[in-house]
Amino acid sequence: MTISLAQLRRCSVAVDLGAARTRVYVKNQGLIVDEPSVAAVNVRTGALLAVGAQAEVMDGRTPDYIRVVHPVSGGTVVDIDMAQRLLRNLVGDKLRRTWRRKPSIRAAVCMPYGSEPLAQRAAVETLTGLGARRVELVDTLLAAAVGCGLPVEQPEATMIVMCGAGTTQVAVLSVGSVVAAETVPVGGNAIDHAVIQHMRLHHELLVPNQAVRPLQTMLSGDAAQASSTEVHGRDVVSGLARSVRVDTERVLKAITTPLTAIVDGIGSVLRNCPPDLVADLGERGIILAGGSALTPGLEQMLQQATSMPVHIADRPGTCAVHGLGALIEGKVEPLHLDPLGS
């Protein structure tokens, strides 16, 4: 997936197809779409009922003939037809007008590091089916690092931890390329599952999926200073609605358990890096990006485990698409490494 900046500058649209959210960036216009990667379908007629935020609130609240689907999993398109319908409805007339003016439009799309050729082909077919004549593939790690404002084109070490919904990607970048990387099968969904399991086992309470993220937000804010917080759900035995007071420390401990895999991934990447780059990281530290970068306790846990400074990106959720937008707008200058004459 290594391409030249000249090819990227010919692109007019940047797309980040994430498992949690889909984002579309139009050249010289900015971010025009930032919606959940969710669609609601009538299984009897095949009609698309809702997409994005409207479909997300329907998850778990629909009758049998309405199914809420996720066409993207772990940054990979698993249902091309549904992904096309999702994108077509999300962009609406905003992007159709752009494609109408430029019939030979090019698009750039983020792909997870080390993605299989079949996954790359699915992403290309998704965008070509919407009218793109050419699709350029860019590593999500590289795009996110650019979006964080890191000097990826310089011969200096940059470590980025991209916390997604399905997976977490850890990489060290230098001179515009990935030096070492590791994909950990732990993301925001696994953290949500840990909270749900904790509530079920210790409080006999079924918590809806929509309530897990607000609970994590409370734990990372002022509520984290409190010893307990109130959670609403359904009783496992009686099936009735019930509220319980939850110990904050125990919930944070439940969240921390799956995060240990991320620490192991960082250690594996550092062992595969040259000593000079690791020395750079001791001073520069680690950058957290992605929608799950704000997970309570993650920053402190990585800092204690690695003894390196850990920073959260200013826009962790959208840094990848903004970085891809900076690449297609020509805001990144490459490091010229021309062969020397003999």
Side-chain angles (χ1 to χ4, degrees):
M1 287 190 290
T2 303
I3 60 176
S4 67
L5 290 177
Q7 290 175 308
L8 282 175
R9 288 171 183 172
R10 298 190 184 103
C11 297
S12 301
V13 179
V15 181
D16 180 13
L17 290 171
R21 301 185 73 87
T22 294
R23 300 176 175 96
V24 180
Y25 186 104
V26 176
K27 193 174 186 177
N28 300 324
Q29 293 185 28
L31 190 65
I32 65 169
V33 172
D34 185 0
E35 294 280 344
S37 304
V38 186
V41 184
N42 187 327
V43 295
R44 296 175 181 173
T45 64
L48 192 65
L49 303 179
V51 295
Q54 293 182 344
E56 187 179 40
V57 298
M58 298 172 65
D59 195 7
R61 297 186 173 99
T62 60
D64 293 339
Y65 67 91
I66 297 178
R67 186 163 56 97
V68 178
V69 297
H70 299 261
V72 183
S73 176
T76 302
V77 177
V78 295
D79 188 337
I80 296 177
D81 178 65
M82 189 56 63
Q84 290 178 346
R85 297 174 70 182
L86 172 68
L87 270 173
R88 189 178 293 113
N89 282 272
L90 287 178
V91 299
D93 295 332
K94 303 173 185 176
L95 200 52
R96 291 192 194 122
R97 287 194 296 266
T98 302
W99 272 330
R100 197 178 299 119
R101 290 194 302 267
K102 299 179 180 179
S104 59
I105 192 172
R106 294 188 178 199
V109 61
C110 293
M111 291 296 298
Y113 176 79
S115 57
E116 298 293 333
L118 188 61
Q120 299 178 19
R121 181 178 176 182
V124 171
E125 289 187 5
T126 299
L127 293 178
T128 53
L130 293 176
R133 295 296 178 265
R134 183 179 175 88
V135 180
E136 307 289 355
L137 304 178
V138 181
D139 281 326
T140 303
L141 294 166
L142 182 61
V146 172
C148 294
L150 301 177
V152 294
E153 72 279 3
Q154 299 298 322
E156 302 173 357
T158 298
M159 172 169 269
I160 185 167
V161 178
M162 191 69 181
C163 308
T167 60
T168 297
Q169 302 175 70
V170 184
V172 173
L173 309 174
S174 181
V175 199
S177 299
V178 177
V179 177
E182 187 85 15
T183 299
V184 181
V186 172
N189 295 337
I191 297 170
D192 294 347
H193 181 71
V195 175
I196 293 174
Q197 287 297 104
H198 171 80
M199 298 301 301
R200 183 187 180 98
L201 294 176
H202 297 276
H203 300 278
E204 296 185 344
L205 193 73
L206 292 177
V207 181
N209 293 329
Q210 291 85 353
V212 175
R213 291 301 171 89
L215 175 60
Q216 293 184 22
T217 303
M218 287 192 301
L219 294 177
S220 60
D222 295 336
Q225 306 298 327
S227 60
S228 63
T229 184
E230 188 174 11
V231 178
H232 305 277
R234 190 186 74 185
D235 189 271
V236 174
V237 179
S238 66
L240 301 177
R242 184 164 63 91
S243 300
V244 297
R245 299 293 302 184
V246 180
D247 184 9
T248 303
E249 290 297 329
R250 297 187 67 179
V251 176
L252 288 174
K253 186 176 180 180
I255 293 175
T256 303
T257 301
L259 297 181
T260 54
I262 300 178
V263 177
D264 295 338
I266 292 176
S268 176
V269 170
L270 292 176
R271 286 191 293 271
N272 293 327
C273 278
D276 291 341
L277 293 181
V278 177
D280 289 344
L281 293 174
E283 179 181 351
R284 180 166 297 174
I286 302 172
I287 302 296
L288 295 181
S292 302
L294 299 175
T295 300
L298 177 59
E299 181 182 5
Q300 294 80 4
M301 181 180 182
L302 296 183
Q303 194 164 357
Q304 292 176 1
T306 62
S307 299
M308 294 191 297
V310 180
H311 311 283
I312 300 178
D314 293 336
R315 301 171 295 184
T318 61
C319 59
V321 71
H322 277 107
L324 196 54
L327 290 172
I328 68 175
E329 290 178 351
K331 296 180 179 179
V332 178
E333 293 294 333
L335 180 66
H336 295 288
L337 298 174
D338 297 327
L340 299 177
S342 56

